[in-house]
Amino acid sequence: MDLFLDELGWEQLRQPPYGFVVGDQEYFLDALAEKRGVVVFHCAALYDSATRRKIEHQVAKSFREHLIVYTNAEQTTQIWQWARREAGKPLVVREQRFDKGQVGEALVQRLAESAFGIDEEES
C-alpha cells in the first residue's frame, strides 16, 4: 500500500493483525496506514458481499473511520470498502472493485468523495 505511505503521506502502522470472530469464523486484517484516526486495513481474501458487510460491521465497533482493501490470492483483484457517514443520514457502506490492468479512474473518483483538505485535517 505504497499509495497511502508514499503518495498520500499517511503514517505506517506497525501492530499485530487485527483479529476477530464473526459467527464461527475467525478473520484477520493487517493495519497498513493511519491518518488522523482513519485506518486502512488489508484483508488477504475476497469474501462474498454478505461476509464483507459482517467484517465491516465488526471493524466499525473498534475503528469508527476506516477503509478495508480486500485482495484475492493472485493479487489481481481488489475490493475497496468504506463507510460514508453524513450527519442526519443513515450509514452507507460503499465498495469499489479494481482489477489488475484496469484504469483506476473510477476508484479515484469514489475515494475523492471521502477526501478532506489540509485545512480540514485537524477536525
Side-chain angles (χ1 to χ4, degrees), residues 12-91:
Q12 184 173 13
L13 288 177
R14 298 188 189 277
Q15 63 186 43
Y18 173 61
F20 53 91
V21 176
V22 176
D24 60 351
Q25 178 70 36
E26 191 171 25
Y27 299 94
F28 291 95
L29 304 178
D30 293 314
L32 302 177
E34 183 268 339
K35 181 76 167 188
R36 299 290 182 189
V38 180
V39 179
V40 177
F41 290 99
H42 176 250
C43 181
L46 284 182
Y47 295 106
D48 60 64
S49 179
T51 302
R52 291 193 308 269
R53 293 285 299 216
K54 290 176 184 174
I55 291 171
E56 155 61 33
H57 181 73
Q58 184 66 36
V59 172
K61 291 178 181 179
S62 298
F63 300 91
R64 177 170 162 74
E65 301 297 337
H66 60 275
L67 166 72
I68 304 171
V69 180
Y70 300 87
T71 59
N72 63 349
E74 299 80 19
Q75 296 189 352
T76 57
T77 301
Q78 298 177 344
I79 296 178
W80 291 50
Q81 179 189 60
W82 66 96
R84 181 161 184 165
R85 292 174 173 80
E86 293 184 45
K89 294 184 180 180
L91 177 75

